[in-house]
Amino acid sequence: MRGPQTASTLSRRALLGLAAALPLVQPLRAQDIPSETDVAVIGAGMAGLAAARLLRERGLRVVVLEARQRLGGRAFTDAARLGFPVDLGALHLRSVELNPLVPLLRSQNAAAEMEDGDFWLFEPGRDAEPGDYDSLGADLDKLDDALADAKSARQDRPLAALVSLDSRWADAAKGLAGPLHVGLDFPQLSAFDTPRLSGTGRDLWLPGGLGSWVAGLGNGLPVFTGQPVHRIEWSDRGVKIAHAGGVLEARACIVAVAPGVINANGIGFSPEQPAARREALSRLQIGVIERVLLRFKPGSFDAVANTQVYGPSTLNGPPVARQAMLFRLNCQNRSVVQASFGGSYARELAKEGEAAMIAAARARLKLLMGNAADDGFEDAIASRWSTDPFSLGSHSVIRPGASGVRRALATPMGRVLFAGDYIAPADWLGQLPGAWLSGRDAAQTVIRMLG
């Protein structure tokens, strides 16, 4: 299947380097969990692993409790279902020149390649023309400028109230800015809190899977999987943690679990969380971006790896921004098409189940590229982050009019600290580098706290 050979500002070139994959993390037995430690880390996603690594480097005793039977959190590589590794969560590392994870990646000689795909627009029965690309690009520039201006002027208002789009691709731009960027419908976006759309245009992907690399960061750490934490008793002197295997006492604790789980009282606290923190949590909007990976016969799509395909948002009727769906052809240089969709549309499909998600992705791909695009279909797998009890979503954005609450979210409770991409530096909110930086910041605070 050949698509339009349209040049794109989203194309990337070059090779970073190749090396052997990181070894697998060796599982630890639940009965070996100690009864006391210096620092307990709750959650073995990127933030928890970052915190635990730094604490161990500084000589502190650490125990990491992970509810899932695996490491990595919302960075997850499935290496079995389709016969080769595919990422169902975090996909790539943006802005290689600025990304704080790239030096770590290079220090490990991990296999990573620059993304090298084009960007194609389609409408049923009509290939996009140069003017269509220009129109969509202009709308995206307006949105990004509005986000920059709002942050500069500290305008805590809905993004929709600050920018007007009227081109034929306006809904496509809103879909890219909302559901496909932070997992929220466009009217819900805060102009002050939503991350900027633009990066440097040079992104990395990992042939072995980004999720596998993140999980490999747990090598050498005392991570105990299958250990959901039920309750944390906290004070200025220490913490007591009730988990699936018993009770763990620690001098300090870092909670690095998804904010949706905390917001849904997935972990109980005694005493109860302070009112300011409960209020801050209530101001969080938990977005979701789901992915469907469709495996095709080799050679089904004549496109360079990671070529993106975008088009109308609905099968029938006018486009609707909330139903935006973005495809990547030959994703990660495999005979795979990745479909991404977010917001309320993704939540609805995820509730219907994996089969419904796969059917929706196949139907939209055929609409955009013709029925022949489905001829080589073989198998598929879908994420369901919104129904996963250990994530309950994938992104978080503060509600419009509630700026300033992230500081309350990051404030320690006695000797309990919090970490995650939802309290990361502004440039990396909702992204793996943000989780990494947040975890290390929490660890630094613990190190100072314990002397």
Side-chain angles (χ1 to χ4, degrees), residues 14 19 26 121 123 147 184 189 226 245 280 346 407 434 442:
Q26 296 300 314
L121 284 175
E123 285 186 311
L147 289 172
L184 293 172
L189 297 187
R407 178 174 298 178

Side-chain angles (χ1 to χ4, degrees), residues 73-436:
R74 286 164 285 163
F76 173 51
T77 303
D78 187 297
R81 178 77 172 267
L82 299 184
F84 41 73
V86 290
D87 281 311
L88 287 169
L91 180 65
H92 57 216
L93 298 177
R94 296 184 64 198
S95 303
V96 59
E97 305 93 330
L98 307 175
N99 197 304
L101 288 176
V102 171
L104 176 63
L105 195 75
R106 287 176 169 154
S107 73
Q108 297 174 335
N109 293 320
E113 297 186 22
M114 298 300 298
E115 206 166 89
D116 197 26
D118 287 327
F119 183 84
W120 300 345
L121 284 175
F122 280 103
E123 285 186 311
R126 170 185 175 272
D127 287 351
E129 300 173 354
D132 295 307
Y133 290 88
D134 293 340
S135 179
L136 176 59
D139 281 346
L140 292 174
D141 285 343
K142 288 181 182 179
L143 292 171
D144 217 25
D145 289 345
L147 289 172
D149 292 343
K151 289 173 172 56
S152 177
R154 303 192 65 81
Q155 290 182 294
D156 189 6
R157 299 174 59 193
L159 177 60
L162 300 180
V163 63
S164 177
L165 305 179
D166 55 11
S167 79
R168 67 183 298 164
W169 295 99
D171 278 293
K174 293 175 182 177
L176 288 170
L180 293 170
H181 184 45
V182 293
L184 293 172
D185 297 345
F186 185 75
Q188 297 175 278
L189 297 187
S190 161
F192 186 74
D193 195 69
T194 301
R196 295 278 302 277
L197 298 169
S198 59
T200 67
R202 301 183 70 242
D203 304 337
L204 289 176
W205 62 276
L206 280 65
L210 184 54
S212 290
W213 178 72
V214 173
L217 296 176
N219 282 315
L221 295 176
V223 180
F224 296 87
T225 58
Q227 293 298 315
V229 168
H230 308 306
R231 190 171 186 83
I232 298 175
E233 296 180 17
W234 59 277
S235 71
D236 291 332
R237 298 179 302 278
V239 296
K240 186 178 292 186
I241 300 155
H243 57 91
V247 176
L248 172 65
E249 295 189 28
R251 297 169 63 199
C253 174
I254 295 175
V255 178
V257 304
V261 175
I262 300 175
N263 214 356
N265 297 316
I267 297 176
F269 292 91
S270 178
E272 189 174 292
Q273 296 180 82
R277 181 173 171 79
R278 297 199 307 273
E279 171 66 15
L281 282 168
S282 73
R283 299 295 186 94
L284 274 182
Q285 301 181 99
I286 306 300
V288 59
I289 296 176
E290 302 286 10
R291 305 201 195 282
V292 174
L293 285 303
L294 308 165
R295 190 185 73 201
F296 287 83
K297 295 177 181 177
S300 294
F301 296 92
D302 183 10
V304 295
N306 299 308
T307 289
Q308 299 179 79
V309 176
Y310 195 45
S313 303
T314 55
L315 295 176
N316 300 294
V320 179
R322 64 181 288 273
Q323 294 185 359
M325 193 177 294
L326 178 69
F327 295 91
R328 287 175 182 265
L329 308 181
N330 300 324
C331 185
Q332 296 183 336
N333 212 25
R334 302 281 189 179
S335 55
V336 165
V337 173
Q338 180 200 71
S340 299
F341 42 97
S344 58
Y345 178 57
R347 287 188 183 276
E348 292 164 6
L349 278 179
K351 287 179 182 177
E352 294 181 32
E354 184 180 56
M357 298 169 73
I358 293 169
R362 292 177 67 184
R364 186 75 63 84
L365 186 63
K366 287 192 289 185
L367 174 72
L368 296 182
M369 302 190 69
N371 289 332
D374 197 52
D375 289 347
F377 174 75
E378 294 181 336
D379 199 0
I381 184 174
S383 69
R384 296 177 68 189
W385 298 114
S386 58
T387 62
D388 181 337
F390 304 125
S391 61
L392 297 178
S394 52
H395 289 69
S396 63
V397 176
I398 301 298
R399 299 181 187 279
S403 64
V405 302
R406 289 197 189 272
R407 178 174 298 178
L409 292 170
T411 301
M413 300 188 325
R415 288 193 171 182
V416 175
L417 292 92
F418 296 85
D421 57 65
Y422 69 107
I423 47 177
D427 290 342
W428 300 108
L429 282 170
Q431 300 177 58
L432 275 179
W436 171 262

